[in-house]
């Protein structure tokens, strides 16, 4: 079966002309060989019968001559009689046997080589009709072999002449048939390449009909191609105009979003600082409750702006994975501590299953992915709870975030990871808490792409949603020392007592808010709105500040990076022992890249007082370490 398949594949590779020639040669060859085989067989059979008849004749002659000597048992005459038989053409041996089978005479040829022979035995009959012996004559078949060789030579010559004749006839017929088809094929190739193509009308009537139809189809196709090319050119021009309009609109949207985000972050940052200042020393429960409501609103706005900032950082390309091996249970514990109070406040359960699996991933990015997923699940779950678990899948680990929430319809599941896309929900399905902007899952998708992994979602309306994140597994290492504070332990706040801090910001309200907050923490604060004011303070101070906290964008196109560099160059300016901290509300990708490449710690507005306090203390400790203090 395989052999037949290979033969068919080999035939399929032949050209049309070669197949036609082969079609002519194969039957002709088979017919010629069959005819020659039959004729040759008949000729050789006739020749063999002729040799047998000759042997029979010679044997009868010898038997007649040996009749009388055999009766007398005259061996000498019998020997001459046998020898006379060998003188006949093609006779190789003659033997005369007595009645009891004794060889009384034997004669063999000595003048020619013995070959394959044909033996004939004839009885010796006396006058009375009694058998007195036998004669055996062996006839050489050399003539038959010679005839066979001659026949095969003739067969080869006849077959060669026949095949040449048939081949030439087949080649002429194949060329006459295939040449127009080959020209038609070349015309089709030119037509496929977009060139004008036509063929000459020639050949048989069938081929002429095909050529005529091709020319008509080629003219119609050329006209259609011309019309299509014209429409494509028009559509391309229109698409270019639309793309240009979309690009202009996108740039305008980006500029508007960046400007609005920056301008809104400034008062929000000041509001965050002032709200914290209001709570210090306040004992009136009513006022504390109002201050708490203000903080809730500020936290909500902070969450919305953080979503925008996450996407801005991804667009700017400033986030790059920092690969590390870590136990997944450590991340689950952190998520449980962060969201269990939120879940309990909503009457829900948050379960993070213990696991001994390790993964190789970016801890911060994976933490942000899971935090967004858990936060989104809690917001859209009315009863029941959220489950976080992990299991091994092949060479990787699959992390599942499962909730019993309102679920997502099938028509929305493919789009929930798009930016600003939200599923409208009403009545019991309305999400808890503040409504977001539809950026949480978009951030999850973008971070997953950075981690070279994927996020899968399955959901059933009114039943819940399961989001799966696939990450690479890692071998478990030795257990690390647990430095996470115990649940319920009170974290000691960093001490800022008598710490000298220079604050630079072109917004008066932010300067006042920072001064109030930092002063309440015991720090000695100096404030400047411009580079000139900061350098003037440097001229007057006795020793440089311990920490410089500067906004990125200042008045007159100046920025905090340049002001910090100017203070470093000042004769009485800051040195290695001074911590540097940038605070900005900028979201433009080029600005974010500039900040990321500066090598200075950055906080993005609005900044909560707790985060600001921790950042100041951390950068202060790092600066002292670098200065060798």
């Amino acid at each position: 079966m395989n052999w037949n398949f290979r033969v068919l594949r080999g035939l399929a590779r032949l050209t049309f002309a070669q197949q036609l020639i082969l079609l002519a040669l194969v039957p002709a060859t088979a017919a010629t060989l069959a005819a020659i085989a039959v004729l040759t067989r008949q000729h050789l059979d006739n020749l063999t019968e002729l040799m047998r008849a000759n042997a029979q004749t010679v044997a009868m002659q010898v038997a007649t001559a040996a009749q009388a000597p055999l009766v007398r048992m005259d061996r000498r005459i019998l020997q001459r009689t046998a020898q006379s038989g060998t003188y006949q053409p093609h006779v190789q041996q003659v033997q005369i046997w007595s009645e009891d089978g004794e060889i009384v005479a034997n004669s063999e040829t000595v003048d020619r080589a013995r070959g394959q022979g044909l033996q004939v035995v004839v009885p010796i009959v006396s006058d009375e009709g009694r058998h007195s012996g036998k004669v055996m004559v062996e006839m050489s078949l050399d003539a038959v072999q010679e005839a066979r060789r001659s026949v095969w030579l003739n067969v080869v010559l006849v077959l060669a002449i026949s095949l040449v004749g048939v081949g030439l006839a087949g080649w002429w017929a194949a060329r006459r048939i295939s040449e127009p088809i080959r020209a038609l094929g070349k015309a089709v190739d030119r037509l496929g390449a977009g060139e004008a193509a036509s063929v000459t009308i020639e050949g048989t009537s069938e081929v002429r009909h095909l050529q005529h139809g091709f020319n008509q189809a080629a003219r119609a196709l050329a006209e259609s191609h011309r019309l299509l090319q014209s429409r494509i050119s028009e559509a391309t021009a229109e698409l270019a105009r639309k793309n240009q309009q979309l690009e202009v609109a996108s740039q305008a949207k980006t500029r508007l979003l960046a400007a609005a985000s920056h301008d809104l972050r400034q008062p929000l940052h000041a509001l965050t600082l002032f709200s914290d200042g209001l709570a210090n020393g306040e004992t009136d429960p009513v006022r504390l409750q109002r201050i708490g409501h203000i903080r809730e609103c500020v936290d909500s706005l902070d969450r919305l702006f953080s979503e925008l900032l996450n996407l801005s950082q991804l667009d700017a390309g400033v986030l790059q994975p920092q690969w590390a091996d870590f136990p997944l249970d450590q991340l689950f514990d952190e998520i449980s501590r962060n969201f269990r109070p939120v879940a309990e406040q909503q009457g829900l359960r948050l379960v993070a299953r213990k696991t001994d699996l390790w993964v190789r991933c970016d801890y911060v990015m994976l933490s942000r992915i899971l935090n967004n997923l858990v936060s989104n699940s809690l917001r859209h779950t009315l009863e029941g709870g959220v489950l976080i678990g992990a299991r091994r899948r092949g060479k990787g680990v699959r992390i599942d975030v499962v909730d019993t929430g309102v679920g997502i319809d099938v028509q929305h599941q493919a789009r929930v990871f798009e930016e600003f896309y939200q599923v409208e929900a009403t009545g019991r399905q309305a999400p808890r808490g503040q409504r977001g902007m539809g950026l949480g899952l978009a951030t999850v998708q973008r971070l997953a792409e950075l981690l070279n992994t994927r996020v899968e979602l399955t959901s059933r309306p009114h039943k819940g949603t399961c989001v799966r994140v696939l990450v690479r597994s890692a071998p478990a290492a030795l257990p690390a020392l647990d430095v996470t504070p115990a649940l319920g332990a009170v974290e000691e706040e960093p001490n800022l007592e008598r710490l000298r801090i220079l604050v630079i910001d072109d917004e008066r309200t932010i300067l006042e808010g920072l001064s109030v907050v930092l002063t309440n923490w015991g720090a000695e604060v100096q404030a400047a709105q411009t580079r000139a004011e900061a350098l003037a303070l440097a001229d007057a101070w006795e020793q440089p500040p311990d920490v410089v906290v500067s906004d990125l964008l200042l008045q007159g196109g100046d920025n905090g990076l340049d002001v910090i560099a100017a203070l470093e160059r000042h004769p009485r300016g800051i040195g290695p022992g001074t911590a540097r901290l940038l605070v900005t509300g900028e979201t433009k990708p080029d600005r974010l890249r500039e900040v990321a490449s500066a090598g200075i710690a950055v906080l993005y507005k609005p900044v909560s007082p707790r985060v600001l306090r921790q950042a100041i203390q951390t950068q202060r400790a790092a600066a002292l370490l670098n200065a060798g203090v």
Side-chain angles (χ1 to χ4, degrees):
M1 193 68 180
N2 293 334
W3 182 83
N4 294 335
F5 181 72
R6 287 195 295 269
V7 170
L8 292 176
R9 288 187 59 184
L11 292 176
R13 296 192 183 98
L14 299 177
T15 63
F16 180 67
Q18 290 172 338
Q19 292 182 15
L20 287 177
I21 295 174
L22 188 62
L23 185 62
L25 287 177
V26 169
T29 304
T32 302
L33 288 176
I36 291 176
V38 172
L39 295 176
T40 302
R41 180 65 177 269
Q42 292 179 353
H43 176 68
L44 293 177
D45 289 346
N46 293 335
L47 186 58
T48 302
E49 289 301 322
L50 179 61
M51 298 300 294
R52 187 183 302 274
N54 290 339
Q56 187 79 18
T57 301
V58 173
M60 291 179 64
Q61 292 175 355
V62 173
T64 301
Q67 180 178 357
L70 183 60
V71 173
R72 298 190 304 271
M73 196 58 68
D74 190 347
R75 293 179 181 272
R76 187 178 60 181
I77 296 176
L78 290 174
Q79 183 64 31
R80 285 202 300 268
T81 302
Q83 189 174 4
S84 65
T86 59
Y87 295 154
Q88 300 297 323
H90 307 296
V91 176
Q92 295 186 136
Q93 185 179 12
V94 177
Q95 289 182 350
I96 300 175
W97 302 341
S98 65
E99 184 178 3
D100 56 0
E102 179 186 0
I103 300 175
V104 295
N106 180 37
S107 178
E108 298 181 14
T109 60
V110 295
D111 58 340
R112 56 180 180 270
R114 291 284 298 273
Q116 184 180 0
L118 175 66
Q119 293 182 354
V120 175
V121 178
V122 174
I124 302 175
V125 183
S126 63
D127 295 338
E128 293 82 8
R130 186 172 59 86
H131 289 187
S132 58
K134 295 181 181 178
V135 176
M136 187 278 294
V137 176
E138 182 180 352
M139 187 70 70
S140 173
L141 294 180
D142 290 342
V144 176
Q145 299 297 332
E146 185 66 25
R148 182 178 283 112
R149 287 191 291 271
S150 177
V151 166
W152 280 115
L153 178 61
N154 294 333
V155 165
V156 172
L157 291 176
V158 171
L159 182 61
I161 294 172
S162 300
L163 291 182
V164 170
V166 173
L168 291 175
W171 175 79
W172 176 82
R175 184 172 181 181
R176 179 174 175 79
I177 296 174
S178 65
E179 191 64 31
I181 297 177
R182 185 182 297 109
L184 192 61
K186 292 180 180 179
V188 171
D189 292 338
R190 293 197 302 271
L191 192 63
E195 303 176 3
S198 63
V199 293
T200 305
I201 307 298
E202 60 181 359
T204 63
S205 59
E206 293 83 358
V207 174
R208 292 169 64 88
H209 180 73
L210 180 62
Q211 293 167 339
H212 180 71
F214 172 79
N215 288 340
Q216 287 183 336
R219 286 192 294 268
L221 186 61
E223 181 65 20
S224 299
H225 180 74
R226 185 185 62 80
L227 293 176
L228 183 60
Q229 192 67 32
S230 175
R231 293 177 182 176
I232 290 176
S233 299
E234 294 175 359
T236 302
E238 181 66 20
L239 183 60
R241 288 194 297 270
K242 294 292 185 182
N243 285 339
Q244 186 176 7
Q245 293 174 1
L246 288 175
E247 183 68 24
V248 171
S250 177
Q251 293 177 357
K253 181 208 72 173
T254 303
R255 289 193 298 268
L256 176 62
L257 183 62
S261 176
H262 178 269
D263 293 342
L264 289 174
R265 284 174 183 273
Q266 298 294 97
L268 180 60
H269 182 50
L271 181 61
T272 303
L273 298 174
F274 281 122
S275 65
D276 186 77
L278 287 174
N280 288 331
E282 184 60 59
T283 58
D284 187 354
V286 176
R287 292 184 178 178
L288 287 175
Q289 184 179 12
R290 292 173 181 173
I291 294 174
H293 291 327
I294 293 175
R295 284 181 170 177
E296 290 179 0
C297 295
V298 171
D299 290 341
S300 178
L301 288 172
D302 185 15
R303 185 172 61 253
L304 296 177
F305 277 114
S306 296
E307 290 180 354
L308 284 175
L309 179 61
N310 288 338
L311 286 181
S312 298
Q313 289 177 320
L314 291 172
D315 290 335
V318 299
L319 294 181
Q320 295 298 328
Q322 303 296 322
W323 301 100
D325 297 344
F326 57 88
L328 199 54
D329 200 51
Q330 176 183 344
L331 179 55
F332 283 6
D333 289 342
E334 177 184 321
I335 295 173
S336 179
R337 287 193 302 270
N338 292 340
F339 288 98
R340 181 167 285 114
V342 178
E344 292 175 351
Q345 185 179 7
Q346 299 177 187
L348 303 174
R349 293 186 60 201
L350 176 63
V351 178
R353 286 183 174 173
K354 302 294 290 183
T355 178
D356 57 355
L357 295 175
W358 281 57
V359 296
R360 178 167 181 77
C361 196
D362 184 293
Y363 186 91
V364 175
M365 290 187 181
L366 185 58
S367 173
R368 184 177 296 179
I369 288 175
L370 297 182
N371 280 328
N372 282 2
L373 294 177
V374 173
S375 175
N376 192 69
S377 294
L378 290 174
R379 187 180 300 118
H380 293 85
T381 301
L382 304 178
E383 57 184 4
V386 179
L387 170 67
I388 311 170
R391 63 185 64 187
R392 192 178 301 278
R393 281 293 179 266
K395 297 183 179 180
V397 174
R398 192 186 79 187
I399 304 173
D400 296 336
V401 179
V402 186
D403 64 57
T404 58
V406 296
I408 304 172
D409 290 332
V410 177
Q411 63 268 25
H412 299 299
Q413 292 180 13
R415 300 193 60 192
V416 292
F417 291 100
E418 297 178 5
E419 299 172 6
F420 303 105
Y421 185 82
Q422 293 177 298
V423 179
E424 295 294 335
T426 58
R428 277 188 86 249
Q429 295 185 359
R432 299 175 183 264
Q434 297 292 331
R435 181 182 176 88
M437 292 187 296
L439 296 178
L441 292 181
T443 303
V444 167
Q445 185 69 25
R446 300 281 288 278
L447 288 171
E449 292 174 356
L450 276 179
L451 294 175
N452 194 26
T453 185
R454 65 181 187 273
V455 179
E456 300 174 349
L457 180 144
T458 56
S459 181
R460 294 176 60 189
H462 313 295
K463 297 295 184 181
T465 301
C466 176
V467 182
R468 294 176 290 273
V469 182
L470 302 175
V471 293
R472 284 182 286 178
S473 63
L478 293 176
L481 181 63
D482 187 8
V483 297
T484 305
L487 186 62
V490 178
E491 183 180 355
E492 181 180 357
E493 293 185 344
N495 184 18
L496 302 185
E497 194 69 30
R498 290 188 295 181
L499 197 67
R500 298 182 302 275
I501 301 177
L502 172 61
V503 181
I504 306 171
D505 201 300
D506 57 352
E507 293 286 343
R508 175 60 61 183
T509 55
I510 293 179
L511 280 180
E512 293 177 0
L514 282 173
S515 298
V516 170
V517 171
L518 295 175
T519 301
N520 289 338
W521 291 341
E524 299 176 4
V525 181
Q526 292 180 314
Q529 287 185 279
T530 62
R531 182 196 299 222
E533 293 181 9
L535 294 178
L537 291 174
D539 291 334
W541 62 43
E542 295 181 359
Q543 55 182 336
D546 300 311
V547 181
V548 176
V549 180
S550 176
D551 190 12
L552 178 63
L553 299 182
L554 301 174
Q555 293 179 356
D558 207 353
N559 66 72
L561 293 174
D562 294 337
V563 174
I564 291 176
L567 289 174
E568 292 173 349
R569 294 191 299 267
H570 193 278
R572 303 179 62 185
I574 60 177
T578 300
R580 298 153 176 80
L581 184 63
L582 281 176
V583 181
T584 181
E586 187 59 61
T587 59
K588 292 181 180 179
D590 54 344
R591 289 291 188 183
L592 293 177
R593 284 191 288 268
E594 180 183 2
V595 171
S597 61
I600 299 177
V602 182
L603 295 177
Y604 295 96
K605 298 178 182 179
V607 181
S608 66
R610 180 179 60 84
V611 174
L612 177 63
R613 187 169 186 166
Q614 292 177 348
I616 290 175
Q617 188 68 15
T618 301
Q619 296 305 312
R620 173 60 179 164
L624 292 177
L625 183 63
N626 292 334
V629 178

